[in-house]
Amino acid sequence: MNYWLVKSEPSEYGWDDLCKLEEDVWDGIRNFQARNYLKEMKLGDKVLFYHSGKTKEIVGIAEVSKEAFPDPKDDENKGWVAVKIKASKSLNNPFTLDQIKEDDELSTLPLLKQSRLSVMPVEKEQFDHIVKLSR
């Protein structure tokens, strides 16, 4: 199993939107590295859902429910892909970017080095650490 973090501006599409739908297509990604990460996602992989913008915090846990397929928004047929994710659970206490920056165990989290990337891998230990501290 792999672990991931996806980012979204909550005013455009937030955790509450995913929770209302329960499952949705994660599409519209137009970065080659993020696309490659989408292609690596496997059924059942765990996903941290991060709100970018003003709040900058991890707010929930989702799961990959369908592996990479052609992005339905790829009107120019350029090979972009999407996955489906489903909401698993909200974090009791959102885990903020400031908390991430202050935590030595999270110093290698890609979010800190590639802050503009909307899909990125997370190590299992880091995933577990974030979930534990958000209880």
Side-chain angles (χ1 to χ4, degrees):
M1 177 181 303
N2 294 310
Y3 299 86
W4 306 95
L5 182 141
V6 297
K7 291 173 42 183
S8 182
E9 174 69 49
S11 62
E12 292 180 28
Y13 188 94
W15 176 248
D16 290 340
D17 297 308
L18 179 60
C19 288
K20 285 176 192 168
L21 295 171
E22 296 180 8
E23 179 182 54
D24 203 5
V25 175
W26 196 258
D27 58 9
I29 305 301
R30 297 297 181 265
N31 172 286
F32 290 107
Q33 187 173 12
R35 179 200 60 191
N36 292 340
Y37 287 143
L38 288 174
K39 288 180 176 182
E40 291 179 31
M41 289 180 159
K42 300 296 178 203
L43 191 65
D45 282 359
K46 302 296 182 194
V47 180
L48 295 170
F49 196 107
Y50 179 87
H51 279 167
S52 57
K54 291 182 182 178
T55 58
K56 294 181 178 58
E57 59 190 5
I58 298 169
V59 294
I61 302 170
E63 181 177 305
V64 176
S65 56
K66 184 176 181 181
E67 294 179 15
F69 57 92
D71 186 334
K73 293 182 180 174
D74 184 6
D75 297 331
E76 297 177 18
N77 199 24
K78 291 193 173 190
W80 298 112
V81 298
V83 297
K84 271 193 175 181
I85 61 173
K86 64 179 177 180
S88 295
K89 71 179 221 171
S90 297
L91 296 183
N92 292 335
N93 299 296
F95 203 82
T96 69
L97 180 59
D98 287 339
Q99 288 173 286
I100 292 168
K101 288 178 178 179
E102 294 170 3
D103 193 318
D104 290 339
E105 290 188 46
L106 301 175
S107 64
T108 61
L109 196 67
L111 178 67
L112 298 174
K113 295 179 180 165
Q114 297 174 299
S115 61
R116 297 191 51 94
L117 200 59
S118 58
V119 178
M120 60 193 71
V122 175
E123 294 175 14
K124 180 187 185 329
E125 295 79 14
Q126 293 172 326
F127 180 93
D128 291 342
H129 183 70
I130 290 167
V131 171
K132 179 181 175 186
L133 293 178
S134 68
R135 288 189 182 132

